[in-house]
Amino acid sequence: MAAVSIDRVHKSYGSVGVLHGVSLEIDDGEFVVLVGPSGCGKSTLLRMIAGLEAINAGDIRIGDRVVNNVAPKDRDIAMVFQNYALYPHMSVSSNMGFSMELRRFAKSMIDSAVGRAAATLGLGELLQRRPRELSGGQRQRVAMGRAIVRQPQVFLFDEPLSNLDAKLRVQMRTEIKALHQELKTTAVYVTHDQVEAMTMADRIVVMHGGIMQQVGPPLEVYDRPANKFVAGFIGSPAMNFFDGVVAANGAGRYVAMGGDVRLPIPDNSRAEVGRRVTYGVRPESIRIDADDAGSVPASVEVIEPTGLSTLVYSKVADALVCTFTMERPDLERGQPIRLAPDLARVHVFDADSGERL
Amino acid sequence: MVGHYGALALYVLFALFPLYWLLKISVTPNSLLYTEGITMWPSVTTWENYRFVLLQSDFPAFFKNSVIVSLGTAAIVTVLAAATGYAFSRFQFTGKTLVMFVLLLTQMFPLVMLIAPIFRLMVPLGLTDNLTGLIVVYVAFNTPFAAFLMQSFFDGIPRELEEAAMIDGCTRLTALRRVILPLTLPGMGATLGFVFTAAWSELLFALMLINSTDAMTFPVGLLTFVSKFSVDFGQMMAAGVLALVPACLFFAFIQRYLIQGLTAGAVKG
């Protein structure tokens, strides 16, 4: 096991910049998830840690060693690919034991290592099969097993669950997390799925446009997004945003929207009067039909019951607002309601820079 | 369904009928060839033509020459094409587009135009009238297409397989040998078969570059059954049938691989 240190790393393909000076310290044994929309540079960064992409500038260290010019095979890492990349002409056990075979381990040692990994992953019955005889979930497990047998310093995952169906994805998510808690090997995990990022990570790295937007524990990133991008990307259903200008009256500051709607701002916000801002509030931080002074008028558009909860979409001025509630409100389309944002959970971002105020 | 099969049957009949006729004439006694008129099968069949071709003509020598030239060409081209195709598929390098363009360019000229200059080049090199010269020419003309063919086979193998192997502990060369090569065998088989067949049936260069009976390949040799005054159809057809055998064997061997699709299961789906 080892720490991974990424120091001002740049990457570009010709004139197209992909990563613009990314720095990140990953602790020994930590599970870090790189998350962001496609094209944000997360996979490129992972492939640079693996040694599959050259580094244009900056350093990557695994343990104490700068690995910029170290071949992938000498980096002591294991990687799980999105498409599994199992060797089709080898049996499951050969697939899993391949890395040890290349290192000329004795057959008995390989067999016992493969056997242990197979037992952990429930692959015992399948060891003699070929990859083409396996289901998607089983192939995924074999790819995991191959990584475990390697006993690497660092696990690298490149969207390993993207090709699975929704139910299996949730199951494997839990299994990977449990496995990490057992093995305690440093892991870097790339995904575009923010739920995966939230549920699995010790720390989340939100990336966008080749720049790290925010690094932190999942709940910190969720509760205090550093900018509008992070706020909109993390969380499902997504945060509601309203554009407006900060104004004040006797009761305090508020964001004035069209249609004379006034959204109250918390006292600790740095948004000064006159600034153009984006007002953000998560669906679960809005209460319906509240009597308090800060509530704004709205009219119900769509109601989506999920059984566990209800999503209510309503119109405030011209903006569509999503509200999440664990209750089952008795509402119908067109009905006027009042919405009250929870002041402690309101986020204000600069309209131009998107930075948190 | 009936329409599809009907159309296919019609096509197969059309394509294979000449082969049937070849077979039919090869077993027809010479005396019946012109006397029986057009029949679908002769009243008496004979192996006499085969016996003559195998035991009394130069055909076995032609056959041996053809095997040497075709196998030699196929083996050399496949190795060259595999190396070229791998480079095209996996690497970006300066001048790649130019190299590919030039390779394509060589495929654009009718061979007839090149016969004279090639003959002029080969004479001083001592490469006319022997099998080596033929192999050199065939390799030169078959490699470009075979390289593109091999490239498409390499393109069909996910890059991640190599990357996984390189992370598992392979160098690029070990990854090529242990992972990519076994998966490309069907492709190499197909290329081998394709080039073998092309070299096997090549007539133009063989005719121009070879004079002596010792070095003749069978397509040229077939023409020796045409004499000034007559054509010995029975013997010619028998030789033709025998010449088909290796090509058929090769295709039987390859098509198994072509259909199999060895990479199934490597990645999703």
Side-chain angles (χ1 to χ4, degrees):
Chain A
M1 283 180 278
V4 177
S5 162
I6 297 159
D7 187 15
R8 284 164 293 170
V9 160
H10 284 264
K11 178 73 186 180
S12 53
Y13 297 104
S15 60
V16 185
V18 180
L19 290 173
H20 310 283
V22 171
S23 294
L24 179 66
E25 297 294 328
I26 299 168
D27 293 336
D28 189 5
E30 195 176 18
F31 198 114
V32 166
V33 175
L34 308 179
V35 65
S38 47
C40 72
K42 56 190 192 297
S43 281
T44 307
L45 183 58
L46 191 79
R47 292 170 57 82
M48 286 163 90
I49 299 173
L52 300 172
E53 299 276 350
I55 300 167
N56 292 149
D59 287 325
I60 292 181
R61 285 186 195 80
I62 296 176
D64 301 328
R65 185 167 61 137
V66 176
V67 293
N68 289 25
N69 295 313
V70 176
K73 73 185 179 75
D74 298 321
R75 294 193 181 197
D76 208 0
I77 46 168
M79 186 154 166
V80 178
F81 291 85
Q82 176 173 3
N83 59 16
Y84 320 136
L86 303 179
Y87 312 125
H89 56 303
M90 298 183 194
S91 67
V92 166
S93 67
S94 304
N95 261 284
M96 288 168 62
F98 190 55
S99 63
M100 289 182 78
E101 189 203 320
L102 288 167
R103 282 176 179 67
R104 301 180 195 286
F105 277 87
K107 180 134 191 352
S108 56
M109 287 181 72
I110 301 179
D111 286 345
S112 74
V114 168
R116 269 198 310 276
T120 313
L121 293 161
L123 290 169
E125 309 282 294
L126 308 172
L127 282 178
Q128 294 318 313
R129 297 230 193 132
R130 292 293 171 94
R132 65 170 159 274
E133 298 163 326
L134 304 178
S135 70
Q138 289 168 334
R139 287 179 200 177
Q140 221 288 323
R141 269 171 224 262
V142 175
M144 292 282 302
R146 190 167 65 180
I148 293 172
V149 169
R150 178 86 165 74
Q151 292 199 309
Q153 300 279 353
V154 183
F155 277 125
L156 304 175
F157 298 90
D158 191 4
E159 310 217 13
L161 306 182
S162 303
N163 284 348
L164 301 178
D165 63 56
K167 201 166 179 180
L168 206 52
R169 201 180 308 159
V170 173
Q171 187 193 336
M172 286 306 294
R173 195 169 81 194
T174 318
E175 286 189 26
I176 292 177
K177 188 168 181 177
L179 203 63
H180 175 256
Q181 285 165 358
E182 189 188 318
L183 299 174
K184 298 190 172 61
T185 306
T186 314
V188 186
Y189 187 108
V190 162
T191 179
H192 61 265
D193 181 345
Q194 52 90 20
V195 180
E196 258 172 47
M198 288 294 291
T199 50
M200 300 176 82
D202 293 328
R203 273 195 303 160
I204 289 183
V205 178
V206 185
M207 298 187 63
H208 182 48
I211 294 169
M212 293 199 303
Q213 304 288 326
Q214 187 170 5
V215 182
L219 291 181
E220 184 187 305
V221 172
Y222 188 85
D223 289 339
R224 287 190 60 80
N227 55 41
K228 188 185 164 190
F229 174 80
V230 176
F233 190 78
I234 299 290
S236 174
M239 187 182 281
N240 298 296
F241 291 116
F242 310 92
D243 293 323
V245 178
V246 179
N249 61 15
R253 286 170 298 167
Y254 58 86
V255 172
M257 289 175 63
D260 205 25
V261 174
R262 296 176 172 189
L263 300 161
I265 296 179
D267 290 337
N268 59 6
S269 171
R270 289 181 287 126
E272 66 278 350
V273 172
R275 192 197 277 259
R276 281 178 43 247
V277 296
T278 300
Y279 185 99
V281 58
R282 294 201 183 276
E284 72 273 21
S285 307
I286 303 174
R287 276 172 300 126
I288 298 174
D289 203 20
D291 292 327
D292 63 75
S295 68
V296 295
S299 76
V300 176
E301 286 281 321
V302 175
I303 302 147
E304 293 181 348
T306 67
L308 171 71
S309 61
T310 310
L311 293 177
V312 180
Y313 292 89
S314 54
K315 273 253 163 84
V316 173
D318 283 335
L320 195 63
V321 181
C322 176
T323 313
F324 173 98
T325 169
M326 296 298 282
E327 333 241 290
R328 297 182 177 181
D330 187 18
L331 299 170
E332 56 190 68
R333 183 180 157 80
Q335 183 177 340
I337 51 173
R338 291 191 74 83
L339 300 177
D342 179 352
L343 257 188
R345 291 167 176 272
V346 160
H347 312 271
V348 185
F349 306 100
D350 185 88
D352 298 319
S353 70
E355 292 306 306
R356 181 185 189 86
L357 294 170
Chain B
M1 279 305 262
V2 177
H4 283 183
Y5 282 116
L8 276 177
L10 214 65
Y11 170 75
V12 169
L13 194 71
F14 185 74
L16 293 186
F17 191 75
L19 283 180
Y20 167 73
W21 213 245
L22 185 80
L23 193 71
K24 181 215 137 183
I25 292 179
S26 74
V27 296
T28 306
N30 268 344
S31 55
L32 293 184
L33 202 52
Y34 296 107
T35 53
E36 266 200 339
I38 298 171
T39 54
M40 290 307 287
W41 197 249
S43 53
V44 182
T45 60
T46 174
W47 295 107
E48 176 56 30
N49 290 325
Y50 286 92
R51 204 191 60 76
F52 181 85
V53 164
L54 286 175
L55 300 179
Q56 279 163 292
S57 74
D58 288 325
F59 184 80
F62 301 155
F63 195 88
K64 193 188 84 196
N65 288 341
S66 269
V67 168
I68 293 172
V69 170
S70 303
L71 271 186
T73 305
I76 297 172
V77 167
T78 304
V79 171
L80 288 179
T84 316
Y86 181 75
F88 281 165
S89 171
R90 291 301 197 255
F91 300 124
Q92 292 300 326
F93 50 89
T94 328
K96 179 175 167 180
T97 326
L98 184 72
V99 173
M100 293 178 84
F101 176 74
V102 170
L103 281 189
L104 266 182
L105 206 65
T106 61
Q107 304 290 291
M108 284 167 51
F109 302 106
L111 290 184
V112 185
M113 285 167 54
L114 299 172
I115 290 261
I118 282 180
F119 189 78
R120 291 286 302 165
L121 285 170
M122 302 292 265
V123 171
L125 293 171
L127 288 173
T128 51
D129 208 15
N130 61 44
L131 299 180
T132 318
L134 265 192
I135 293 180
V136 169
V137 172
Y138 289 172
V139 166
F141 279 94
N142 280 298
T143 302
F145 181 78
F148 288 121
L149 194 66
M150 281 309 299
Q151 182 195 357
S152 70
F153 282 113
F154 283 117
D155 283 345
I157 297 175
R159 226 168 250 271
E160 285 88 347
L161 281 183
E162 257 167 310
E163 295 177 344
M166 280 158 70
I167 287 174
D168 265 350
C170 292
T171 60
R172 185 170 276 282
L173 274 181
T174 346
L176 182 64
R177 190 166 54 82
R178 299 287 307 266
V179 175
I180 304 303
L181 221 52
L183 299 175
T184 330
L185 281 182
M188 294 183 68
T191 308
L192 201 72
F194 179 82
V195 177
F196 180 89
T197 323
W200 187 257
S201 55
E202 207 283 337
L203 174 63
L204 195 56
F205 279 104
L207 198 60
M208 288 301 170
L209 296 177
I210 305 289
N211 282 321
S212 59
T213 321
D214 292 347
M216 275 187 189
T217 56
F218 95 87
V220 187
L222 275 189
L223 295 178
T224 61
F225 292 98
V226 184
S227 69
K228 228 173 211 169
F229 305 107
S230 69
V231 180
D232 203 326
F233 277 114
Q235 289 166 15
M236 200 177 181
M237 299 294 169
V241 170
L242 290 173
L244 276 176
V245 171
C248 287
L249 284 181
F250 238 101
F251 263 99
F253 164 74
I254 294 156
Q255 66 117 26
R256 201 182 53 155
Y257 279 117
L258 285 183
I259 294 168
Q260 197 174 26
L262 251 183
T263 52
V267 296
K268 188 201 177 217

